[in-house]
Amino acid sequence: MILTVTINPSVDKTYILKKFEPFAVNRSQRVMMNAGSKGINVSRVACILGQQTCALGFVGGTTGDVLLEKLQAEGINHQLVHAKNFQTRLNVKIMDVSRKKVTDLNELGDPVSEKDYNKLVELYKEEVPRCSVVALCGSLLPRMSKRTYYELTKIAAGYNKPVFVDCGGVVLRETLRAAPYCIKPNIHEFEDMLGKSGLSDEEIVSECKRIIETYGVKCVVVTLGSAGAVCVDGNQAFKIVPPNVVVTSTVGAGDAFLAGMCHAYLNGMDFAKQMILATSCANAKVTKEGNDVPSVIELMGYTDGCRIINF
């Protein structure tokens, strides 16, 4: 079972327009609403891949009611803490069909009390022994400790559970100290953590190797959008390049990548094959509108077109 933790989940509302004009009245052709945010998206794709999953996080308010409804409709097992004075955030996506671009308007999220956070930790401690993999994903809530994922990683380590972390900046830097199994930031999150910008592929590899040697992380994967991903473990370093597809929406592509990686890991695939399946899942995701999830056939359908370039 894949246990996902999404501290700051959302409902994603996507407006699909022929052409988006800023500072003008825009009328959408269609509106879509999905359960959203990184860990929730990982659970959604993992479920399609046939994995058992449980999604942990906070929920509240009328938007929270929509989130619960969407999770129920997709059959996503969840343990969400109903936090006091908390409103699940609404993330608005404006999809410009003519430009094939999406504009994101993401809410920050509300803070939660120490009491409600402790409830989440207790649920986490109950679920960790039953899972095979933990995925800690996405942003934290305002006023929450930057060491939150560090603490959750340490708890999982007590049960010898591998932890996959998908976040960035100072939160990722702090979490490294707990030696998670894998970190999977995108390039912006990775550079934010390092305080650097404009890294070449070779520089990314060098930084990944340093992280593995310094912190005991088993593998580091830095996703590069349509350019693929740089993938490093203790034995190899390579770039995986996806086949070309018509991109409809990039929302949730990195989450589909992580779901595919966890699925492949649980099926005993080696690191290179994990990355191939993960890339296929991300490729399938970008062909879908808004935050819709692909079918299992689509998720598996791009493996043959992936190329590996060794460093």
Side-chain angles (χ1 to χ4, degrees), residues 189-297:
E189 294 166 334
F190 189 67
E191 291 182 336
D192 186 28
M193 176 188 70
L194 298 172
K196 299 180 179 182
S197 61
L199 293 176
S200 67
D201 290 348
E202 290 75 15
E203 289 171 328
I204 294 171
V205 169
S206 178
E207 293 289 352
C208 290
K209 288 181 176 179
R210 181 185 62 81
I211 288 168
I212 290 171
E213 292 169 1
T214 303
Y215 297 102
V217 176
K218 298 301 182 185
C219 55
V220 179
V221 179
V222 181
T223 54
L224 309 171
S226 61
V230 171
C231 315
V232 183
D233 69 3
N235 301 312
Q236 58 194 316
F238 57 87
K239 182 176 184 178
I240 185 158
V241 181
N244 291 327
V245 294
V246 176
V247 176
T248 301
S249 170
T250 60
V251 176
D255 311 325
F257 187 104
L258 182 55
M261 184 179 179
C262 290
H263 173 72
Y265 171 85
L266 290 175
N267 279 277
M269 297 183 189
D270 64 32
F271 187 53
K273 289 181 179 177
Q274 289 175 33
M275 295 303 98
I276 289 171
L277 180 57
T279 301
S280 178
C281 289
N283 240 37
K285 180 63 196 74
V286 301
T287 67
K288 311 302 288 187
E289 289 185 338
N291 200 12
D292 273 356
V293 291
S295 69
V296 66
I297 293 174

Side-chain angles (χ1 to χ4, degrees), residues 1 3 5 54-58 78-82 116-130 152 155:
M1 186 260 280
L3 177 64
V5 178
C54 180
L56 267 62
F58 296 101
H78 56 274
Q79 294 280 3
L80 301 181
V81 174
H82 291 259
D116 283 330
Y117 175 69
N118 288 337
K119 287 181 183 177
L120 180 73
V121 173
E122 290 306 310
L123 280 174
Y124 181 75
K125 289 179 178 178
E126 290 176 11
E127 293 295 335
V128 165
R130 295 197 280 263
L152 296 179
I155 292 170

Side-chain angles (χ1 to χ4, degrees), residues 152-165:
L152 296 179
T153 300
K154 281 293 190 182
I155 292 170
Y159 294 94
N160 295 315
K161 304 296 183 179
V163 177
F164 292 71
V165 181

Side-chain angles (χ1 to χ4, degrees), residues 142-176:
R143 302 201 292 270
M144 189 168 278
S145 168
K146 304 302 183 188
R147 288 172 64 87
T148 295
Y149 286 160
Y150 169 93
E151 294 165 357
L152 296 179
T153 300
K154 281 293 190 182
I155 292 170
Y159 294 94
N160 295 315
K161 304 296 183 179
V163 177
F164 292 71
V165 181
D166 186 0
C167 64
V170 65
V171 177
L172 182 56
R173 189 163 61 244
E174 288 296 320
T175 307
L176 281 176

